[in-house]
Amino acid sequence: MSLSLLGYSASNAAGITVDEFWGALKQGTPLKDPDLHFCPWPVGRNFSTAQERINYHLHKNWESISSDLIDEVRGAGSIGVILATTKGIHEDFIWNATPNSITKDFLSPILSRFIAETQLAVAHSTVVSNACASTHSAIFLADLWIASGKVSHCIILSCDQIGKFVLDGFKSLGALTANYAQPFGKERTGLQLGDGTAIIVLSRPQPGKLNIENISIVTEGTSVTRPAIHGEGLKQACLDVLNNNLIVDLIIAHGTGTILNDRVESLVLGKLFPNKTPITCTKWAIGHTLGASGAMDLVAGAEALIRQDTFSIATTTEPDPSFPNYFLCGSNANSSSDLRRILITSLGFGGINAALTLTMRHQ
Amino acid sequence: MITISKQYQFDFSYPSNSIPEWSTRVDRWYQLDAFSYGLTEGYWRWKNTSTNLVSPDFIILISRTASNASDLAFVESNCTSAHRFAHTLPNVRLAPLLEVMHWKGPTLCLQMSTDYLERALREAYDLPDKYHRKWVITVEPKAWEINGNSVHLFSACFFELLTK
């Protein structure tokens, strides 16, 4: 497989633009308001419904895509659109549920509305809900669509909004930290949550564009909320995308900051990369954006390649001493002049493991 | 050429009064939601009644109503039950099934409301030939009452598509 990453936008707790996101990663700005456990964006703006909130975010992101790219997409032979999300407009439903609403699909209307309002001539569309690996899974499906000729371009809408339901849920799991998340840190105690929306535009390989070289999803039967203890599925997903080439210049790990997630990732990545390939992650800066988290990591990886620069896990000053890996921690991320290939991993409830490799331009 | 080579439907009520035969294979099976239970029990019965049921290369789970029913169950626990929250993602209902099958591989949980079965079968049909054997699975509520004591009825359907 091979896909060109033609363009992207992202809004999250760090700000409305990709530049603000990159700025937070580089400057080491942690997620604001840790006492709230999550950061809704934009701060202080109220929406009458969760659907309105998501719609607002999607349109702001669409407006951030360059007009040249939008023109290219509009002129494409066939367009696919995939919504990648976990809970979507869930808050609208759950607090006012009725017997009739329980059998209603609340996610597809978000997709339909986006397509109608952007007036895109869409040939294929669907919603992928593969937990926190939803974006990786959507890219996987986009690749299948593009490779089969179903579509020439595919737009991925990645979004998840954090509300009371999700917040209460993660509290019930005991997964939230009382302070800043410290992925892979010695003192890590859990994760923070964050709103996130991103749009990713993909196509058949084009010269001069960033390249999603390979992508893999491996779902395995494990306990519902935790990955396999030895990380077999994650290892398989990584091996699939590495394709016998273990040279990677940077790893953007899922890195939630929970005890178990980080341990499993450390174990698998330590075995695959005994040469201590640098590992970083983004959730310390923007919170865990759930179904959108893979998109945030992809955007961060693309920016790293374009800027030839890396970023550290700023809230983690001391990695877990039992981990064998080399983490970019605190202020030890230095600019790199030779970033060519990045591995991006993602894990989700239900035993989903995903990985992709992002490389520099097609020749 | 691709054909629907096998299909199986399992209608069930939940909670169930009996301990499933596969209970020893799933950690805390008694905490499963209706959908997870139904898929696993349905598979078990399908396997026991079908000759030559071979594991697939790819699984598509269609989720027409997402996890609405399980979401509501979590809210009815005053949002304090961790195991109920764990089931508030539609893809999670595959986890115990895969555990019982001892299977790992690519899965997609797709959300479709209109013509959902036809569209999901089409997605499976269009998968590359390397995915020789594809399963399309759905499990949906048939009767449900909020805060009531009604019988909770569900239906799980399994389709095997084979590339020949």
Side-chain angles (χ1 to χ4, degrees):
Chain A
M1 68 88 69
S2 186
L3 292 169
S4 276
L5 175 58
L6 300 183
Y8 48 80
S9 60
S11 56
N12 52 43
I16 187 172
T17 66
V18 170
D19 282 345
E20 287 175 287
F21 179 25
W22 180 259
L25 293 172
K26 279 303 292 179
Q27 291 158 23
T29 311
L31 178 65
K32 299 172 185 69
D33 300 328
D35 290 342
L36 295 175
H37 302 297
F38 77 103
C39 188
W41 181 87
V43 175
R45 176 159 183 159
N46 294 317
F47 296 92
S48 57
T49 64
Q51 185 172 29
E52 290 303 322
R53 191 168 158 207
I54 278 197
N55 193 51
Y56 172 86
H57 284 272
L58 285 174
H59 280 274
K60 282 291 178 191
N61 272 269
W62 184 242
E63 287 169 9
S64 298
I65 300 291
S66 78
S67 56
D68 285 350
L69 179 52
I70 290 177
D71 287 345
E72 178 184 330
V73 171
R74 289 194 189 284
S78 53
I79 306 167
V81 183
I82 302 172
L83 175 65
T85 187
T86 62
K87 303 309 294 181
I89 59 168
H90 184 78
E91 300 286 331
D92 288 346
F93 151 67
I94 197 64
W95 307 114
N96 301 298
T98 64
N100 287 335
S101 65
I102 208 161
T103 55
K104 198 172 170 187
D105 170 12
F106 290 92
L107 298 181
S108 299
I110 301 174
L111 183 61
S112 302
R113 182 171 172 179
F114 178 85
I115 292 169
E117 291 181 358
T118 54
Q119 298 183 317
L120 290 167
V122 173
H124 291 279
S125 64
T126 194
V127 181
V128 171
S129 189
N130 264 19
C132 298
S134 290
T135 296
H136 277 66
S137 302
I139 296 170
F140 183 90
L141 181 59
D143 178 49
L144 294 175
W145 284 2
I146 289 171
S148 70
K150 265 186 172 181
V151 300
S152 61
H153 291 66
C154 197
I155 300 165
I156 295 178
L157 315 174
S158 298
C159 57
D160 256 314
Q161 308 295 306
I162 310 300
K164 178 177 169 14
F165 180 91
V166 174
L167 193 60
D168 285 350
F170 277 89
K171 280 181 182 170
S172 76
L173 291 172
L176 297 176
T177 180
N179 208 315
Y180 292 120
Q182 298 180 54
F184 303 105
K186 180 183 175 184
E187 308 289 341
R188 71 188 187 283
T189 55
L191 56 81
Q192 291 173 277
L193 296 165
D195 282 358
T197 304
I199 292 182
I200 296 164
V201 185
L202 304 168
S203 78
R204 297 186 188 109
Q206 295 186 21
K209 305 294 183 185
L210 291 173
N211 176 33
I212 297 177
E213 180 188 52
N214 282 310
I215 184 158
S216 175
I217 309 168
V218 178
T219 307
E220 58 189 333
T222 63
S223 173
V224 165
T225 58
R226 65 162 171 76
I229 296 293
H230 300 294
E232 294 89 350
L234 178 61
K235 182 181 176 186
Q236 184 61 54
C238 290
L239 287 172
D240 287 349
V241 299
L242 292 167
N243 196 21
N244 296 321
N245 175 6
L246 292 175
I247 298 173
V248 167
D249 304 307
L250 180 69
I251 298 166
I252 300 178
H254 194 57
T256 61
T258 60
I259 297 291
L260 193 56
N261 175 91
D262 292 3
R263 184 186 299 153
V264 170
E265 279 200 284
S266 164
L267 176 71
V268 170
L269 297 174
K271 283 181 180 172
L272 288 174
F273 302 100
N275 60 343
K276 298 190 184 298
T277 301
I279 298 173
T280 189
C281 65
T282 67
K283 292 179 180 63
W284 59 270
I286 58 171
H288 192 341
T289 57
L290 306 179
S293 63
M296 299 304 162
D297 292 348
L298 181 66
V299 168
E303 288 295 301
L305 283 173
I306 291 168
R307 297 168 188 259
Q308 287 294 292
D309 200 358
T310 58
F311 54 91
S312 66
I313 309 168
T315 53
T316 299
T317 51
E318 192 175 352
D320 188 323
S322 69
F323 292 169
N325 324 81
Y326 169 52
F327 297 102
L328 299 179
C329 283
S331 57
N332 73 347
N334 298 314
S335 294
S336 170
S337 59
D338 200 19
L339 277 181
R340 287 169 297 177
R341 191 173 187 230
I342 297 178
L343 173 69
I344 302 173
T345 57
S346 185
L347 292 80
F349 282 9
I352 294 188
N353 307 272
L356 67 81
T357 44
L358 180 67
T359 64
M360 285 302 282
R361 294 161 172 78
H362 284 290
Q363 299 305 307
Chain B
M1 179 184 173
I2 299 176
T3 57
I4 296 178
S5 45
K6 287 185 173 65
Q7 65 183 79
Y8 183 77
Q9 181 169 342
F10 172 53
D11 296 328
F12 63 101
S13 60
Y14 190 82
S16 167
N17 293 322
S18 57
I19 297 173
E21 291 178 16
W22 42 267
S23 61
T24 56
R25 297 195 191 187
V26 176
D27 186 28
R28 288 180 284 181
W29 64 270
Y30 45 85
Q31 291 184 343
L32 298 180
D33 70 352
F35 304 94
S36 302
Y37 163 82
L39 283 186
T40 314
E41 178 67 15
Y43 161 76
W44 193 260
R45 292 179 185 222
W46 188 25
K47 182 173 71 74
N48 288 337
T49 56
S50 175
T51 53
N52 302 322
L53 184 62
V54 177
S55 291
D57 305 304
F58 199 112
I59 295 177
I60 293 176
L61 172 67
I62 325 164
S63 159
R64 188 170 62 86
T65 59
S67 53
N68 295 352
S70 299
D71 298 346
L72 202 64
F74 174 65
V75 169
E76 287 174 348
S77 77
N78 291 322
C79 298
T80 57
S81 167
H83 76 264
R84 288 190 179 183
F85 179 68
H87 286 92
T88 63
L89 294 168
N91 66 293
V92 158
R93 59 192 62 164
L94 274 180
L97 169 62
L98 303 189
E99 209 170 351
V100 166
M101 290 171 66
H102 298 299
W103 185 90
K104 65 180 178 183
T107 64
L108 285 173
C109 177
L110 304 181
Q111 175 88 15
M112 301 166 171
S113 50
T114 309
D115 303 327
Y116 70 102
L117 186 54
E118 183 182 354
R119 290 174 62 198
L121 289 170
R122 170 54 65 178
E123 285 295 344
Y125 188 89
D126 289 342
L127 287 171
D129 288 349
K130 71 174 179 179
Y131 304 116
H132 174 65
R133 192 180 305 272
K134 286 89 63 165
W135 282 9
V136 173
I137 302 174
T138 180
V139 56
E140 297 295 342
K142 293 175 75 176
W144 187 277
E145 184 178 312
I146 295 172
N147 295 321
N149 297 312
S150 65
V151 174
H152 296 182
L153 295 174
F154 301 84
S155 185
C157 296
F158 300 79
F159 298 87
E160 180 193 76
L161 284 77
L162 204 56
T163 306
K164 291 182 178 175

